[in-house]
Amino acid sequence: MSALKLCLPDSITPEQFLSDYWQKKPLLIKQGLPQLIGMFEPDDILGLALDEDATARLLTQSATKQADEPQWQLRKSPLAEADFDNLPDQWTVLVQNLEQWSPELAQLWQALDFIPQWQRDDIMVSYAPKGGSVGKHYDDYDVFLAQGYGQRRWQLGKLCDEQTEFVADEPIRLFDDMGEIIFDEILEPGDVLYVPPKLSHFGLAQDDCLTFSFGCRRPNLMQVIDSLADVATNDSALFVPMLLPQASQSSGELQADSIDAITTQLSALLQSERGADIIRQAVCEVVSKRQYDVLVPEETMNTDEMITALADGATLQADYSNRLLYNQTNEGITLYANGQRLDGLDETATALLVRLSNGAHLTLDDMEGIDPDEVMEWLENGWIWIDYAE
Ligand code: SIN
Ligand code: CO
């Protein structure tokens, strides 16, 4: 089992964080992720931003605002080297979904294990030279801003809402007035700042600076309803005839009472055991889906090579650029990967995948009773990766 120290101050327990800070107020965690120090240099990120598979944005800011012209310019990937020619002094490049490129970095999510895995969205990195920023703004999600290289000054201000007005005609959401500044500190490599949704923030690079945003998400009911429809479409048991609408004096009218009766019929279905199964499946499919395309790894080894690597001390771990999770009821455990239910797993496979989804590092000894070719398939699907470092 992995033993990454949790990214919290020693004086705050996960329970205290969840009740007092999560979604409510910011928290500075000095040296919350010391593992980040030295993991990446600015050139690594600049190189990655040019990769054709990267989701990247280049944001530049002119020194002064000209009338009728936006002060900020945004270019989206694919980015080319020429995009980086003749940049103004102030610019930032952002790369999303770093999990895809670095399982070692993705493992750092384990330091945030007090946040359920399904609420993780992605790790984004920003590179900016001195003076670079993405402006004053707020986000709709919780984020842990982790300093990886250089220093960034963070200021936090007012709590915003949907009415907060953004500067007009700029390609990104920005505002001028952060209200009263409630936090103003320079973060060093390894430091982490938790920022709840809608809290205004402004991060200014003090020198060449890499900041890693561990972003969270909250899937919404629209997604669940959408997924319910998908699940229901494939379930012939749900071809339940709708109650007949009541006859009306006017042949063109569908009476409100008829709609009420059908609503009652539908809620009874959703509240039945069958309905609970469908809802469970729909929710699990939504929350196990990643918003980014999952890159299936190129084949790098065969089953024998995997076993040899494990015999030499490597471990198998969940690959956080995929999403593996499970749900447990009286009937047993159901596993999901990347929005799909995994059917046909036996008890041993289920138990191993459950442990992997909970962050376990599995060794060769843990493979007893499982067909190694099946584990190889999990590797090929990208659900897990092999870490040679241990
Ligand atoms: C940054 O890293 O510069 C921006 C991250 C954020 O504000 O969410
Ligand atoms: Co932000």
Side-chain angles (χ1 to χ4, degrees), residues 243-306:
L243 283 180
L244 280 184
Q246 292 172 28
S248 159
Q249 296 291 345
S250 327
S251 63
E253 185 189 10
L254 175 62
Q255 290 190 338
D257 284 355
S258 299
I259 307 273
D260 288 349
I262 294 162
T263 308
T264 309
Q265 186 190 19
L266 189 59
S267 349
L269 172 76
L270 290 175
Q271 282 172 30
S272 68
E273 222 168 278
R274 184 81 203 100
D277 280 349
I278 298 165
I279 294 175
R280 185 178 315 112
Q281 189 179 337
V283 171
C284 289
E285 289 191 3
V286 166
V287 303
S288 66
K289 229 175 244 166
R290 291 207 74 223
Q291 76 155 301
Y292 294 93
D293 287 343
V294 172
L295 281 196
V296 176
E298 286 159 29
E299 202 183 327
T300 50
M301 61 167 65
N302 59 35
T303 307
D304 288 341
E305 287 163 346
M306 174 187 78

Side-chain angles (χ1 to χ4, degrees), residues 150-196:
Q151 297 175 316
R152 188 181 284 275
R153 176 180 176 186
W154 281 105
Q155 290 180 311
L156 306 177
K158 67 182 176 191
L159 206 52
C160 303
D161 57 30
E162 278 73 27
Q163 272 71 54
T164 305
E165 290 204 8
F166 295 107
V167 179
D169 303 325
E170 292 289 357
I172 50 169
R173 300 194 323 176
L174 293 163
F175 44 72
D176 290 328
D177 176 20
M178 294 229 304
E180 186 196 346
I181 299 299
I182 59 164
F183 175 96
D184 188 351
E185 288 208 31
I186 292 177
L187 266 67
E188 308 281 343
D191 292 348
V192 178
L193 178 63
Y194 164 70
V195 180

Side-chain angles (χ1 to χ4, degrees), residues 137-139 141 201:
H137 67 281
Y138 73 80
D139 299 305
Y141 48 82
H201 52 279

Side-chain angles (χ1 to χ4, degrees), residues 92 94 124 126 134 137 139 141 143 145 152 154 201 203 211 213:
T92 293
L94 303 153
M124 177 188 86
S126 67
V134 302
H137 67 281
D139 299 305
Y141 48 82
V143 62
L145 299 162
R152 188 181 284 275
W154 281 105
H201 52 279
T211 303
S213 297

